[in-house]
Amino acid sequence: MSELTIQEARSIIEDQIEKLKKRNKEPEWMTKLRYKAMDAFFEAPHNDPVIKDPLDYIAKTEEEMYPEVKSLDELPPDMLALLDRLGIAEVEKKYIAGLAVQSDTSIVLNDFLKEWRKKGLIVESMEDAVRNHPILKDLFLKQFNPYESKLAAYHTAVWNGGIFLHVAQGLKVPMPLHLFFLIQNSAMAQAPHIIINAEPNSEIHLIEGCTSPVLVRHSLHLDMTEAYIGDGANVKLSVLQNWPEYVHTRPMTRARIGKNAEFINTTVGLGTGKSNIANPKYWVDEGGYVELNGIILGQKDFYVDLGGEMNLDASGARGLNASKSVIMDRSSVITRGIIRANAPKTKGHISCDALILNSEARMETYPGLVSQVDDAELSHEAAIGKIREEELFYLMSRGLKEEEATQLIVKGFVNPLLKDIPMEFVIEIRKIIEMAVSGGM
Amino acid sequence: MSELTIQEARSIIEDQIEKLKKRNKEPEWMTKLRYKAMDAFFEAPHNDPVIKDPLDYIAKTEEEMYPEVKSLDELPPDMLALLDRLGIAEVEKKYIAGLAVQSDTSIVLNDFLKEWRKKGLIVESMEDAVRNHPILKDLFLKQFNPYESKLAAYHTAVWNGGIFLHVAQGLKVPMPLHLFFLIQNSAMAQAPHIIINAEPNSEIHLIEGCTSPVLVRHSLHLDMTEAYIGDGANVKLSVLQNWPEYVHTRPMTRARIGKNAEFINTTVGLGTGKSNIANPKYWVDEGGYVELNGIILGQKDFYVDLGGEMNLDASGARGLNASKSVIMDRSSVITRGIIRANAPKTKGHISCDALILNSEARMETYPGLVSQVDDAELSHEAAIGKIREEELFYLMSRGLKEEEATQLIVKGFVNPLLKDIPMEFVIEIRKIIEMAVSGGM
């Protein structure tokens, strides 16, 4: 725990809750939930190997916080220079202009969303949604319990930002919806809460771009996502992360996948970051399917530990957990998916592949399979290795420089998991990989 | 811990140590080691999910112990009937007659061993060896520490039986040497200590047959094996277990594999048993190779948890961990190999395959790969499933009954890992599988 006394810590969190309650004009049930989570915070178990106490990450002075900005143009020059160098700003400006932008606690909605709202697509900031949609009382924090971990409790007590995405029964949204976590100037932690409620037979693809920097130095990003995928619905959630190297991120994602529904969850972690520990959990009903694709580029001192628990709870449920890691510098990557076959005729597969590009980099993989029935099919495969010299020599014999050949192999290596990512992002991702492999980050 | 006070427990163990010291005419260093281990027993960590306290397994009355017997003919009729039904007695009688028999604490040596002794092959009961060979002071308990676990400490304090196998430099023993754990009437636990010291460039194949029953009901089998495989040596250790269903077994095996040496460790667990938890550890030097083959037939309420840690500590070291499990009835099998690539140009592979024959059976697999270098190659694969119906139908269409078809498939499934087992044992193993699959055990 931090050096604060429990009384001091409680009073800091209480102040924050009261401030959020007032600013958001929250219904009473939400404030109650925050206070309940605050109580849980002091009792819940905590076993994060890096974050000793989330309260250690509070910005204490004005200098530790960047000023709030409304668009990319207002970004501090050093951030903007980095984004420009990556060629990111162009792509994301387009999305900011075209779709939804989250700026701290408000979402800028544009014409596109107004039109689709009539058809049954709701995209609202979580603060607005909590006031506007009573259904949230039945969805908010129904897949987590604040007593299960200190970080879940802390998130729940001080959550701020995030969105509510509701897709009406049968509504199929044909293009990806991009949510861009632009700015967050809370002193406590960046803790957006995302709820996806896809009604039966609906279709949507949500892209969360966390490419933009967290603007509090040494900051903690604690997002929580709860997805409800109705029977027959088809939902894709792609999360693109590109954190600056002082950010610790602890994404908490859970999803309930209905009968014959599909949930494709892709995470692309390209930033350096300080640490990223995640263990998403999925429960899959009869005939449902869940896919977790993880692409990790480990750079500098990045510490990444990615789990993923799939519970195949009814007949015919299926799960696929695939990860591809490229590990460089002194970074350390651990993957540990687990699939539980709890019902007959279920199928699951875990695959973990890693390329280690440096002798100081470190990779560990611990997949788990659990079968409690006699007619499930579970399998896993993994391969950790370096770039094969034959492959490198072949490309070099074709006239490529070693660096270009390495870039090409690394891009080819991660490519299979990028199938659901729109092309402009794939181009951006490839550019980041090229720069990383050339040591240019 | 048991219901005994520490003082009572200490006095029981002390009595046993004093008895062993006197009976074995032990050198002082050994008795000191036992007492040191007794101290460790009360401090060492203990996290066995089944055995709360080894002292709970002491035979307290004469009825709980079978009388000591000298040959299979003297076995209690029910045991003998089981062995006869399995056709085991014949094979093993042959080995008993031909090679070495361990009867409690003494080994019967025959002409074969006398002749090979002149060439540099030493096979002695551990009790004799401790008196006769000062080198044991440098080998005994050099790969374990009694403070690492309560079971390691308990074994060390009360070890009884086991053998010392020494193969002189360059000596190649052309036929497998069979060690048969026949009888053990210690009240404490069956705790044989085995040391294999294979000098450089030697070759030997040791088969441990634990097919014979442990004769104390509800008993605990706590064997410890320390293998020293010299540079260029080639050692095979095959362990055939066929425990009665009241036996808990906790084999502790560790091996140091020298430069360009090879150690093939095969474990065939065919009995029902009550529980079997093992986590052998291997350290492999430059160019060395270790292979752990595990064949598990899970029957009745058998609880099996098989690990296996391979440390590839120098350039070119390689490791292979392969297991095949057939899981029936209400049995539960967990496999969790781990391979650590700690040096360049190392290679490791883990494979776990399981056939689940029953809806109450349970399988879990958690392989682990850790790479700290950029030019290791590590991989794993696993498949858990049932017998494929196409395969069954194909065989049945050829005139086989379902039971016969199932037997054939199961035998084919485990076959690849039996490559180092002599044919007479393979026949015995196949017979046990047939009986198990037919529900005849």
Short mmCIF file of all heavy atoms in Angstrom, two decimals, chain A residues 203-232:
data_model
loop_
_atom_site.label_atom_id
_atom_site.label_comp_id
_atom_site.label_asym_id
_atom_site.label_seq_id
_atom_site.Cartn_x
_atom_site.Cartn_y
_atom_site.Cartn_z
N GLU A 203 -25.25 -6.51 -35.30
CA GLU A 203 -23.86 -6.60 -35.73
C GLU A 203 -23.17 -5.26 -35.57
O GLU A 203 -23.71 -4.23 -35.98
CB GLU A 203 -23.77 -6.97 -37.22
CG GLU A 203 -23.83 -8.46 -37.47
CD GLU A 203 -23.64 -8.77 -38.96
OE1 GLU A 203 -22.88 -8.05 -39.66
OE2 GLU A 203 -24.28 -9.72 -39.40
N ILE A 204 -21.94 -5.28 -34.99
CA ILE A 204 -21.18 -4.03 -34.88
C ILE A 204 -19.70 -4.33 -34.73
O ILE A 204 -19.31 -5.40 -34.26
CB ILE A 204 -21.69 -3.16 -33.71
CG1 ILE A 204 -21.05 -1.76 -33.78
CG2 ILE A 204 -21.37 -3.80 -32.36
CD1 ILE A 204 -21.95 -0.67 -33.35
N HIS A 205 -18.89 -3.37 -35.18
CA HIS A 205 -17.44 -3.47 -34.98
C HIS A 205 -16.99 -2.17 -34.32
O HIS A 205 -17.10 -1.10 -34.89
CB HIS A 205 -16.74 -3.66 -36.33
CG HIS A 205 -15.25 -3.85 -36.21
ND1 HIS A 205 -14.44 -4.00 -37.29
CD2 HIS A 205 -14.44 -3.91 -35.13
CE1 HIS A 205 -13.17 -4.15 -36.89
NE2 HIS A 205 -13.15 -4.08 -35.57
N LEU A 206 -16.47 -2.30 -33.10
CA LEU A 206 -16.00 -1.13 -32.36
C LEU A 206 -14.48 -1.15 -32.33
O LEU A 206 -13.87 -2.17 -32.00
CB LEU A 206 -16.56 -1.16 -30.94
CG LEU A 206 -16.13 -0.01 -30.02
CD1 LEU A 206 -16.70 1.32 -30.51
CD2 LEU A 206 -16.57 -0.27 -28.58
N ILE A 207 -13.88 -0.02 -32.70
CA ILE A 207 -12.43 0.09 -32.63
C ILE A 207 -12.07 1.11 -31.56
O ILE A 207 -12.50 2.26 -31.64
CB ILE A 207 -11.83 0.54 -33.98
CG1 ILE A 207 -12.19 -0.48 -35.06
CG2 ILE A 207 -10.32 0.70 -33.87
CD1 ILE A 207 -11.68 -0.11 -36.43
N GLU A 208 -11.34 0.66 -30.55
CA GLU A 208 -10.88 1.59 -29.53
C GLU A 208 -9.43 1.93 -29.84
O GLU A 208 -8.57 1.06 -29.81
CB GLU A 208 -10.90 0.94 -28.14
CG GLU A 208 -12.25 0.81 -27.52
CD GLU A 208 -12.14 0.15 -26.15
OE1 GLU A 208 -11.04 0.14 -25.55
OE2 GLU A 208 -13.15 -0.39 -25.70
N GLY A 209 -9.17 3.19 -30.13
CA GLY A 209 -7.79 3.59 -30.39
C GLY A 209 -7.22 4.25 -29.16
O GLY A 209 -7.65 5.32 -28.76
N CYS A 210 -6.31 3.56 -28.53
CA CYS A 210 -5.67 4.14 -27.36
C CYS A 210 -4.31 4.67 -27.78
O CYS A 210 -3.35 4.66 -27.03
CB CYS A 210 -5.50 3.12 -26.25
SG CYS A 210 -7.06 2.37 -25.79
N THR A 211 -4.24 5.08 -29.04
CA THR A 211 -2.96 5.52 -29.59
C THR A 211 -2.50 6.81 -28.95
O THR A 211 -1.32 7.08 -28.84
CB THR A 211 -3.10 5.73 -31.11
OG1 THR A 211 -3.90 4.69 -31.62
CG2 THR A 211 -1.76 5.74 -31.78
N SER A 212 -3.45 7.59 -28.55
CA SER A 212 -3.08 8.89 -28.00
C SER A 212 -2.50 8.73 -26.61
O SER A 212 -2.80 7.79 -25.91
CB SER A 212 -4.31 9.78 -27.92
OG SER A 212 -5.03 9.48 -26.76
N PRO A 213 -1.65 9.66 -26.23
CA PRO A 213 -0.97 9.52 -24.95
C PRO A 213 -1.88 9.75 -23.76
O PRO A 213 -2.83 10.51 -23.82
CB PRO A 213 0.10 10.60 -25.00
CG PRO A 213 -0.32 11.55 -26.06
CD PRO A 213 -1.21 10.81 -27.00
N VAL A 214 -1.59 9.06 -22.69
CA VAL A 214 -2.17 9.40 -21.40
C VAL A 214 -1.34 10.59 -20.93
O VAL A 214 -0.11 10.51 -20.91
CB VAL A 214 -2.01 8.26 -20.41
CG1 VAL A 214 -2.51 8.69 -19.03
CG2 VAL A 214 -2.76 7.05 -20.91
N LEU A 215 -2.00 11.65 -20.57
CA LEU A 215 -1.24 12.89 -20.39
C LEU A 215 -0.76 13.14 -18.97
O LEU A 215 -0.14 14.15 -18.70
CB LEU A 215 -2.04 14.06 -20.93
CG LEU A 215 -2.22 13.99 -22.45
CD1 LEU A 215 -3.01 15.16 -22.95
CD2 LEU A 215 -0.87 13.95 -23.14
N VAL A 216 -1.08 12.24 -18.07
CA VAL A 216 -0.48 12.38 -16.75
C VAL A 216 0.76 11.50 -16.74
O VAL A 216 0.71 10.30 -17.00
CB VAL A 216 -1.46 11.93 -15.65
CG1 VAL A 216 -0.80 12.07 -14.30
CG2 VAL A 216 -2.72 12.76 -15.72
N ARG A 217 1.88 12.08 -16.45
CA ARG A 217 3.12 11.31 -16.46
C ARG A 217 3.07 10.21 -15.41
O ARG A 217 2.46 10.37 -14.36
CB ARG A 217 4.31 12.23 -16.19
CG ARG A 217 4.58 13.16 -17.38
CD ARG A 217 6.06 13.51 -17.49
NE ARG A 217 6.26 14.30 -18.70
CZ ARG A 217 6.56 13.76 -19.88
NH1 ARG A 217 6.71 12.45 -20.01
NH2 ARG A 217 6.70 14.53 -20.93
N HIS A 218 3.74 9.10 -15.67
CA HIS A 218 3.74 7.95 -14.76
C HIS A 218 2.33 7.46 -14.47
O HIS A 218 2.01 7.10 -13.36
CB HIS A 218 4.43 8.28 -13.44
CG HIS A 218 5.74 8.93 -13.66
ND1 HIS A 218 6.79 8.24 -14.23
CD2 HIS A 218 6.17 10.18 -13.44
CE1 HIS A 218 7.82 9.07 -14.34
NE2 HIS A 218 7.47 10.25 -13.87
N SER A 219 1.49 7.51 -15.46
CA SER A 219 0.09 7.31 -15.16
C SER A 219 -0.36 5.87 -15.27
O SER A 219 0.34 4.99 -15.75
CB SER A 219 -0.76 8.18 -16.06
OG SER A 219 -2.05 8.31 -15.50
N LEU A 220 -1.56 5.67 -14.79
CA LEU A 220 -2.18 4.36 -14.70
C LEU A 220 -3.47 4.41 -15.52
O LEU A 220 -4.28 5.30 -15.34
CB LEU A 220 -2.50 4.11 -13.22
CG LEU A 220 -3.12 2.80 -12.82
CD1 LEU A 220 -2.22 1.63 -13.23
CD2 LEU A 220 -3.32 2.80 -11.31
N HIS A 221 -3.61 3.46 -16.44
CA HIS A 221 -4.81 3.37 -17.25
C HIS A 221 -5.56 2.11 -16.83
O HIS A 221 -5.06 1.00 -16.96
CB HIS A 221 -4.44 3.30 -18.74
CG HIS A 221 -5.62 3.25 -19.64
ND1 HIS A 221 -6.28 4.37 -20.08
CD2 HIS A 221 -6.31 2.20 -20.16
CE1 HIS A 221 -7.30 4.03 -20.85
NE2 HIS A 221 -7.33 2.71 -20.91
N LEU A 222 -6.77 2.31 -16.30
CA LEU A 222 -7.52 1.20 -15.70
C LEU A 222 -8.89 1.08 -16.36
O LEU A 222 -9.90 1.38 -15.72
CB LEU A 222 -7.79 1.54 -14.22
CG LEU A 222 -6.78 1.22 -13.15
CD1 LEU A 222 -7.37 1.60 -11.81
CD2 LEU A 222 -6.44 -0.26 -13.17
N ASP A 223 -8.94 0.68 -17.62
CA ASP A 223 -10.27 0.62 -18.23
C ASP A 223 -10.97 -0.70 -17.94
O ASP A 223 -10.33 -1.73 -17.69
CB ASP A 223 -10.19 0.86 -19.73
CG ASP A 223 -9.38 -0.18 -20.45
OD1 ASP A 223 -8.15 -0.21 -20.21
OD2 ASP A 223 -9.93 -0.98 -21.22
N MET A 224 -12.29 -0.65 -17.93
CA MET A 224 -13.08 -1.85 -17.70
C MET A 224 -14.15 -1.95 -18.79
O MET A 224 -14.84 -0.96 -19.06
CB MET A 224 -13.73 -1.79 -16.33
CG MET A 224 -14.41 -3.08 -15.92
SD MET A 224 -15.18 -2.97 -14.27
CE MET A 224 -13.82 -3.36 -13.18
N THR A 225 -14.22 -3.11 -19.43
CA THR A 225 -15.20 -3.31 -20.50
C THR A 225 -16.11 -4.48 -20.14
O THR A 225 -15.64 -5.56 -19.78
CB THR A 225 -14.48 -3.63 -21.83
OG1 THR A 225 -13.60 -2.56 -22.15
CG2 THR A 225 -15.47 -3.84 -22.97
N GLU A 226 -17.42 -4.24 -20.22
CA GLU A 226 -18.38 -5.32 -20.02
C GLU A 226 -19.20 -5.46 -21.29
O GLU A 226 -19.86 -4.51 -21.71
CB GLU A 226 -19.31 -4.99 -18.84
CG GLU A 226 -18.55 -4.79 -17.54
CD GLU A 226 -19.48 -4.49 -16.35
OE1 GLU A 226 -19.79 -3.32 -16.12
OE2 GLU A 226 -19.88 -5.45 -15.67
N ALA A 227 -19.12 -6.62 -21.91
CA ALA A 227 -19.84 -6.82 -23.17
C ALA A 227 -20.93 -7.87 -22.99
O ALA A 227 -20.70 -8.92 -22.40
CB ALA A 227 -18.87 -7.22 -24.28
N TYR A 228 -22.11 -7.53 -23.49
CA TYR A 228 -23.24 -8.46 -23.48
C TYR A 228 -23.59 -8.72 -24.93
O TYR A 228 -24.10 -7.82 -25.62
CB TYR A 228 -24.43 -7.84 -22.74
CG TYR A 228 -24.11 -7.50 -21.30
CD1 TYR A 228 -23.52 -6.28 -20.96
CD2 TYR A 228 -24.39 -8.41 -20.29
CE1 TYR A 228 -23.21 -5.98 -19.65
CE2 TYR A 228 -24.08 -8.11 -18.96
CZ TYR A 228 -23.49 -6.90 -18.64
OH TYR A 228 -23.19 -6.60 -17.35
N ILE A 229 -23.28 -9.93 -25.40
CA ILE A 229 -23.49 -10.24 -26.81
C ILE A 229 -24.73 -11.12 -26.90
O ILE A 229 -24.71 -12.29 -26.50
CB ILE A 229 -22.28 -10.98 -27.42
CG1 ILE A 229 -20.94 -10.38 -26.93
CG2 ILE A 229 -22.36 -11.02 -28.93
CD1 ILE A 229 -20.69 -8.97 -27.35
N GLY A 230 -25.82 -10.54 -27.37
CA GLY A 230 -27.10 -11.26 -27.42
C GLY A 230 -27.07 -12.45 -28.36
O GLY A 230 -26.17 -12.59 -29.19
N ASP A 231 -28.06 -13.32 -28.25
CA ASP A 231 -28.15 -14.51 -29.11
C ASP A 231 -28.06 -14.11 -30.58
O ASP A 231 -28.73 -13.18 -31.03
CB ASP A 231 -29.49 -15.24 -28.88
CG ASP A 231 -29.58 -15.83 -27.47
OD1 ASP A 231 -28.55 -15.83 -26.75
OD2 ASP A 231 -30.67 -16.27 -27.09
N GLY A 232 -27.21 -14.80 -31.31
CA GLY A 232 -27.10 -14.55 -32.75
C GLY A 232 -26.40 -13.25 -33.13
O GLY A 232 -26.24 -12.96 -34.31
#
